[in-house]
Amino acid sequence: MTSARLRGLPAAAALLCAGLVLAACGGGAGQQASTGGGAPVEGGTASYAQPAGSTPNWILPLSISGKTATFNASVRFALWTPLYLYTAENGPLGFDAKGSLATATPTWSADGRTATITLGGLSWSDGKPVTSRDVEFWFNLVKANKTAWSQYVEGNFPDNVTAFTTVDDKSFSMTFDRAYNQQWIEANQLSLMYAIPQHAWDKDSDAGPVGDLDRDPAGAQRVWTYLTGQASSLDTYATNPLWKVVDGPFTLDAFSTTGRVTLRKNPAYTGPDAAHLDTVDMVPFTSEDAAFNAVLAGDVDYGYLPIASLAQKPRVEGLKYRVQNWDAWAINFAPYNFNDATAGPLFRQDYIRQAIQRSVDQDGIAKVIWKGTALPTYGPVPQQPAGDFLSDAQKTNLYPFDTAAAKAQLTGHGWQPGADGIVVCARPGTGVDQCGDGIAAGTRLQFEMYSQSGSPETDAMMQELQSSLAKAGIAMTIRTAPLNTVLADTKPCAPGAQCGWQASFFGSRGAWYLDTYPMTDVMFSTPGTGNFGSYSNPQVDSLEDAARLSNDPSAMQAVSKEVATDLPGMWLPEPVYQVSAIKQDLQGVSQDPQAVIHPQRWYRTK
């Protein structure tokens, strides 16, 4: 999983909704898992089972590539309050004022270019007030280090901000280079922002003085280097004085390099979203079986059922858990590495990508392997709920499963089956019936899938893909590693290089959790920082630019159609984030489709 939040992925990339609830966000995208009575009890503790083999590895509210998984966002949100939080806490997705630093969505100027934002009355844990200067500090660091920031897309934030103006300690304005789609700005741009403690962090070494280094680009680069360096030392997270200065409902009480995290209620929190529980323990597991055994033993308050164990739902409910799917606003795909020296020339052929996609039995995989807890992905916009952004083209499978048709497509372009059934290029060249540019005679049609480990369903899906692709004449080998390793290794590389990966899968719990305005620029635009495979389509770039400017849903529908058709990766079924098992006396829990938790809202009942 990523944004996931591979929130652009990559992350990595997670769901955010504009202050105005959008049609695409409606109907059941978020589910409340709280059901019940019992008198609320303040205090106490709760334990939460982290996804198997997936543990937090980044604390800083300045994200970098390879550190964008949703479980990092869960920790970050608990410690530092985002400028704008969007959740499904109350049913439909929308602006969550209680969990935001801003008191309301922005006030816009008449020309639609300037947004003015007012902050609430939060304070840092050392007693200093949170001010506009702290937001400016975050902005200056991102602006001076934008290419290292995981959310950067050339031309987007912060490039499109022409002025950051402090009005007073509690308000500031941002002027953009043109009038954009305000839903996109609020949900996909301003939601990325934080206040971070300028009075404690604006320095370039442990012993260095705190000053206004961020207001000079060179100084901001030194501060970035210092802070990201400190954030790379996971074993010091619980003791580093930097991370003690927070404005969120929790402080960090413990953090182990194995991934165990303990959050403690912040006694100095001054906002409206204070924690009810004294502590929350985020527990790591090396396998889904181990996590499920903890549920069966009653050792975790908020766990999950492996897909293979769904038949044991009645048993789990008998142990005083409630069981509920945690759905997601996400898509799933395995990106292709278009720059890889060996596989890149293959992936750059439209007909080869189409033949690969025709060899993916999404319906069968979703039904049999994921036991009905996954939905096929046909393009860059989540299939459900089917809102205004989904094109007619993406509502159906443009490349239905048909290995015979896939093989015919290959042989029609000059490939012939070898002795083992895998096709070999027999007619090199760039003609309409030839193999294509960069493909030499005798080339076998093969590639490696680099896949995350720890999920039996993912392992089974990879084996099914390997088998069905072979029937079409395509060889796919499989290499596995833990999720964080796959995420770290899956990165852009220079054209013609041996990059260490050819196709990559990290979507056992969903690959990409999307912003509410489901812009695809992070992963599919030519300069996108989450565009790990260096996919480039000028038509997609142009359509995405139009969607950033227009409030008309047809602009995003055009992106949906083009990306669904062009296949920047292998579309694969999108599973539910998990099938949760939540103790009946733990209330206030929501199954937020952005795949993050809000533990300050949990409470015990008696």
Side-chain angles (χ1 to χ4, degrees):
M1 169 195 66
T2 83
S3 96
R5 49 200 261 158
L6 252 175
R7 178 187 179 185
L9 202 205
L15 165 67
L16 292 174
C17 200
L20 174 63
V21 176
L22 307 181
C25 306
Q31 300 178 13
Q32 288 287 336
S34 272
T35 59
V41 176
E42 289 294 310
T45 188
S47 55
Y48 169 77
Q50 298 182 51
S54 306
T55 54
N57 62 354
W58 193 251
I59 195 171
L60 186 64
L62 295 160
S63 59
I64 64 173
S65 294
K67 309 291 186 181
T68 54
T70 55
F71 36 79
N72 286 326
S74 292
V75 174
R76 190 165 62 244
F77 284 171
L79 303 178
W80 292 283
T81 303
L83 183 64
Y84 283 104
L85 179 68
Y86 292 89
T87 74
E89 285 286 321
N90 298 311
L93 297 164
F95 170 58
D96 190 323
K98 186 169 65 171
S100 299
L101 183 59
T103 59
T105 51
T107 300
W108 287 91
S109 61
D111 64 1
R113 290 183 54 206
T114 299
T116 299
I117 297 157
T118 301
L119 306 180
L122 268 66
S123 294
W124 297 109
S125 49
D126 61 7
K128 300 285 188 181
V130 177
T131 69
S132 301
R133 177 70 178 99
D134 297 313
V135 181
E136 181 202 354
F137 178 44
W138 183 95
F139 177 78
N140 288 342
L141 293 184
V142 167
K143 184 176 181 179
N145 300 275
K146 60 188 182 182
T147 58
W149 183 51
S150 66
Q151 303 298 327
Y152 179 64
V153 175
E154 185 177 355
N156 284 5
F157 190 89
D159 292 348
N160 57 6
V161 179
T162 59
F164 183 107
T165 305
T166 297
V167 178
D168 55 40
D169 279 353
K170 290 297 181 182
S171 60
F172 64 93
S173 65
M174 300 178 71
T175 300
F176 296 87
D177 55 6
R178 50 183 169 171
Y180 288 95
N181 178 337
Q182 291 177 9
Q183 294 177 342
W184 173 70
I185 287 288
E186 294 174 12
N188 295 25
Q189 305 280 273
L190 301 184
S191 64
L192 304 174
M193 300 180 69
Y194 286 83
I196 53 178
Q198 187 272 335
H199 71 279
W201 291 8
D202 199 354
K203 57 183 182 177
D204 57 12
S205 67
D206 289 343
V210 172
D212 291 324
L213 276 70
D214 65 299
R215 286 178 165 167
D216 172 70
Q221 289 168 8
R222 295 197 306 273
V223 174
W224 177 283
T225 299
Y226 169 66
L227 292 177
T228 55
Q230 294 293 298
S232 299
S233 299
L234 275 64
D235 57 342
T236 67
Y237 276 9
T239 57
N240 192 322
L242 291 172
W243 317 137
K244 299 293 186 183
V245 187
V246 299
D247 65 348
F250 287 97
T251 61
L252 187 63
D253 191 59
F255 191 105
S256 74
T257 54
T258 61
R260 193 178 191 102
V261 179
T262 301
L263 302 172
R264 182 169 294 277
K265 182 176 181 177
N266 179 5
Y269 177 72
T270 58
D273 203 19
H276 298 286
L277 296 168
D278 292 326
T279 59
V280 173
D281 198 13
M282 301 173 66
V283 185
F285 292 94
T286 56
S287 70
E288 290 191 340
D289 287 341
F292 186 48
N293 286 336
V295 170
L296 296 179
D299 291 339
V300 292
D301 299 302
Y302 189 169
Y304 55 88
L305 281 69
I307 301 302
S309 302
L310 291 182
Q312 296 199 55
K313 176 181 176 181
R315 179 185 177 188
V316 173
E317 291 175 329
L319 297 171
K320 297 186 177 180
Y321 286 94
R322 57 189 185 274
V323 177
Q324 182 176 3
N325 285 0
W326 187 342
D327 296 325
W329 175 258
I331 61 173
N332 213 351
F333 72 100
Y336 297 133
N337 191 341
F338 291 88
N339 277 351
D340 182 76
T342 303
L346 302 175
F347 293 143
R348 287 195 290 271
Q349 309 305 316
D350 292 352
Y351 74 89
I352 290 180
R353 300 198 304 278
Q354 293 168 11
I356 291 173
Q357 195 63 52
R358 293 186 194 280
S359 304
V360 180
D361 183 6
Q362 288 208 66
D363 290 332
I365 291 170
K367 180 178 180 181
V368 177
I369 294 176
W370 293 102
K371 299 186 185 304
T373 64
L375 290 172
T377 298
Y378 299 146
V381 175
Q383 300 297 134
Q384 290 189 7
D388 289 343
F389 302 130
L390 191 69
S391 65
D392 288 341
Q394 199 196 313
K395 290 178 182 178
T396 58
N397 190 351
L398 295 174
Y399 304 100
F401 178 58
D402 189 338
T403 55
K407 179 173 266 188
Q409 199 163 12
L410 297 174
T411 56
H413 282 82
W415 297 82
Q416 295 299 323
D420 60 355
I422 302 304
V423 297
V424 177
C425 177
R427 292 198 303 273
T430 58
V432 294
D433 62 346
Q434 295 177 314
C435 301
D437 185 40
I439 301 176
T443 299
R444 274 170 53 90
L445 184 41
Q446 61 185 20
F447 67 94
E448 179 189 78
M449 178 67 76
Y450 189 22
S451 175
Q452 75 173 87
S453 59
S455 166
E457 289 71 38
T458 292
D459 292 343
M461 182 170 68
M462 290 300 139
Q463 292 163 12
E464 161 61 22
L465 290 172
Q466 186 179 58
S467 175
S468 64
L469 284 164
K471 292 175 183 177
I474 304 167
M476 185 186 86
T477 58
I478 304 166
R479 176 167 58 103
T480 64
L483 172 62
N484 285 342
T485 302
V486 176
L487 286 174
D489 291 344
T490 303
K491 53 191 176 183
C493 61
Q498 295 293 344
C499 305
W501 71 279
Q502 296 180 342
S504 178
F505 179 77
F506 37 78
S508 296
R509 290 200 175 200
W512 295 89
Y513 285 77
L514 300 184
D515 297 317
T516 300
Y517 191 87
M519 180 62 71
T520 60
D521 48 4
V522 169
M523 57 277 211
F524 298 134
S525 74
T526 299
T529 53
N531 183 358
F532 302 141
S534 304
Y535 169 75
S536 182
N537 180 336
Q539 178 71 2
V540 170
D541 295 342
S542 176
L543 292 172
E544 287 175 339
D545 188 57
R548 280 188 286 269
L549 299 175
S550 173
N551 288 308
D552 191 329
S554 65
M556 193 61 227
Q557 290 169 14
V559 177
S560 165
K561 178 181 179 180
E562 179 64 21
V563 177
T565 303
D566 201 40
L567 301 170
M570 184 190 303
W571 302 126
L572 293 166
E574 166 61 33
V576 296
Y577 181 67
Q578 67 182 30
V579 179
S580 298
I582 307 167
K583 284 284 185 68
Q584 292 176 5
D585 69 339
L586 182 62
Q587 297 293 317
V589 179
S590 69
Q591 305 272 60
D592 198 316
Q594 63 188 15
V596 296
I597 57 174
H598 306 285
Q600 69 272 26
R601 297 171 185 180
W602 303 352
Y603 59 91
R604 291 288 190 184
T605 60
K606 65 177 181 179

